[in-house]
Amino acid sequence: MKAKGWLAWIFIIISVSAFPQQKGIEPAAINLENIAYPFPVKFINTSAQWQQLRMAYMDVQPDKPNGKNVLLLHGKNFNGAYWENTVKELRRRGYRVIVPDQVGFGKSTKPRHFQYSFQFMAVKTKNLLDSLGIAKTIVLGHSMGGMLATRFALMYPEVTEKLILEDPIGLEDYKSKVPYQPVEYWYQNELKQDYNTLKKYQQDNYYHGTWKSEYEKWVMILARWTMNQDYSILAWNAALTYDMIITQPVLYEFDQLKMPTLLVIGELDKTALGKNLASEDVAKTMGNYPQLAKDAAGKIKDSKLVIIPRTGHIPHLESFDQFIKAIIGFMIN
């Protein structure tokens, strides 16, 4: 991002940190039209469930191509822009990098009514790759994107050259541990969000109680969304995707993954959806990522596990050097 853009971000971060409800802060547009991404954004038009949809994506080409492609799939509380440093390093090494915003996220359409599934997301992601003429790619998914990456690899093993799962949620079956909540529960929960609640959630769950200034940018997008007069649409989409995550596990199919797979896990990650709703005894067992990852690696035939020390839920933001070393080493071997 240009210097002027970064100065604008710094001003917004300082202002909202001190005065979360300050009226001078501009709400984020529903499809982030007023939020700059680090690379040019394109759109593919599609349709589903009798609705016209647009899927945003970045297609970042290297100066010296090595003939390989990498597909990056974002997590639930993020968009494709948070892959910026990863994209830059992959491009420098000759990879073509495709970074979509899934429908319901980032700059893509937010439907008013929709039935989300990982299969739907995988199909639309495959359609995007087809439109770009990409027949083979390395697939890297973070958090919710890890569940999507798994589903994509199961549906399209011929396309998935290698699979990388960075702190994927869904390494345990949430619906077997958390009492079921209707979509309306998650919706009402989203309506209560503001800068303070969003930051506390990320600080506690993503960064093991720590906080750095570079994390502010990502919580600020969500906080500015809550100020949008149409925030109810965003909250409803968020609720629908919570339900998708909880009711559509992928871990029972790990043994069907045939491609080389890398799990990159933050040692201190304790993320577990619905943990606060589980009984005290059950909650204590949830979110043990090092052990969950070991169990998952044991089910995936051709897998490797890298645990990054002193790191939480987002290694590519918190411990970038160790993260990139792990994935590059896996990709080139």
Side-chain angles (χ1 to χ4, degrees):
M1 186 180 293
K2 295 180 180 179
K4 184 178 179 181
W6 278 111
L7 288 173
W9 268 113
I10 292 169
F11 171 76
I12 291 169
I13 288 167
I14 292 172
S15 301
V16 179
S17 296
F19 307 103
Q21 302 302 325
Q22 183 174 320
K23 292 183 180 179
I25 306 288
E26 182 186 19
I30 194 167
N31 293 325
L32 299 184
E33 290 90 346
N34 58 342
I35 301 292
Y37 274 25
F39 309 100
V41 177
K42 301 177 182 179
F43 294 88
I44 181 171
N45 294 317
T46 185
S47 62
Q49 300 173 35
W50 294 282
Q51 299 183 65
Q52 296 302 310
L53 308 168
R54 289 209 313 169
M55 187 173 180
Y57 68 96
M58 294 175 282
D59 179 3
V60 184
Q61 306 270 357
D63 294 329
K64 297 180 180 180
N66 64 12
K68 298 285 187 177
N69 307 300
V70 182
L71 171 68
L72 302 181
L73 302 174
H74 62 75
K76 186 181 188 305
N77 289 323
F78 296 94
N79 56 66
Y82 81 148
W83 289 113
E84 179 178 1
N85 289 337
T86 303
V87 173
K88 287 179 177 177
E89 183 60 23
L90 292 174
R91 178 179 62 180
R92 187 183 73 82
R93 292 173 177 268
Y95 294 93
R96 179 183 182 182
V97 189
I98 311 301
V99 192
D101 280 348
Q102 296 300 319
V103 170
F105 296 86
K107 290 182 176 288
S108 295
T109 301
K110 315 296 182 304
R112 289 181 179 271
H113 304 284
F114 210 73
Q115 181 175 336
Y116 281 100
S117 70
F118 287 115
Q119 284 86 348
F120 160 77
M121 291 182 173
V123 167
K124 293 305 178 183
T125 302
K126 174 63 162 52
N127 291 346
L128 170 62
L129 295 179
D130 289 344
S131 73
L132 299 174
I134 295 175
K136 202 93 171 168
T137 185
I138 297 165
V139 180
L140 193 172
H142 167 250
S143 195
M144 181 199 78
M147 293 184 77
L148 172 56
T150 301
R151 179 57 60 203
F152 183 94
L154 289 165
M155 292 174 66
Y156 305 110
E158 73 285 358
V159 177
T160 309
E161 184 177 348
K162 291 185 177 182
L163 177 64
I164 303 174
L165 304 176
E166 178 194 2
D167 287 78
I169 57 175
L171 293 180
E172 55 193 323
D173 186 353
Y174 303 123
K175 63 181 172 55
S176 70
K177 298 184 177 184
V178 178
Y180 178 76
Q181 303 296 320
V183 173
E184 291 82 358
Y185 168 85
W186 300 110
Y187 173 66
Q188 292 298 327
N189 207 46
E190 288 297 313
L191 289 180
K192 299 173 185 176
Q193 300 295 342
D194 60 20
Y195 170 82
N196 292 317
T197 60
L198 291 162
K199 179 178 178 180
K200 179 172 172 53
Y201 177 84
Q202 293 197 9
Q203 185 173 23
D204 292 347
N205 291 277
Y206 295 170
Y207 306 112
H208 46 95
T210 68
W211 194 256
K212 298 178 182 178
S213 60
E214 54 260 41
Y215 305 154
E216 284 281 352
K217 180 163 61 169
W218 310 116
V219 76
M220 274 304 310
I221 291 176
L222 301 178
R224 290 173 63 189
W225 252 341
T226 67
M227 299 164 61
N228 189 298
Q229 63 181 359
D230 292 322
Y231 178 60
S232 61
I233 298 173
L234 296 157
W236 185 245
N237 276 267
L240 293 173
T241 51
Y242 263 117
D243 189 75
M244 172 186 73
I245 291 166
I246 289 174
T247 61
Q248 298 178 28
V250 296
L251 76 161
Y252 300 116
E253 299 167 79
F254 281 156
D255 61 351
Q256 297 178 36
L257 293 169
K258 307 301 182 185
M259 66 289 300
T261 301
L262 172 67
L263 291 103
V264 183
I265 303 296
E267 177 189 32
L268 303 179
D269 191 1
K270 300 293 183 184
T271 304
L273 270 68
K275 188 176 182 178
N276 62 308
L277 299 171
S279 68
E280 185 177 349
D281 289 342
V282 171
K284 290 178 181 177
T285 70
M286 297 178 69
N288 184 353
Y289 262 75
Q291 185 58 53
L292 290 168
K294 289 176 184 176
D295 294 343
K299 297 172 184 176
I300 302 171
K301 294 176 182 178
D302 187 3
S303 66
K304 179 182 179 182
L305 170 62
V306 174
I307 296 179
I308 300 181
R310 300 178 298 280
T311 300
H313 188 60
I314 319 175
H316 77 262
L317 293 182
E318 187 178 3
S319 300
F320 178 76
D321 291 344
Q322 295 174 75
F323 167 78
I324 205 72
K325 179 181 178 181
I327 70 165
I328 293 298
F330 173 74
M331 288 163 62
I332 63 177
N333 292 324

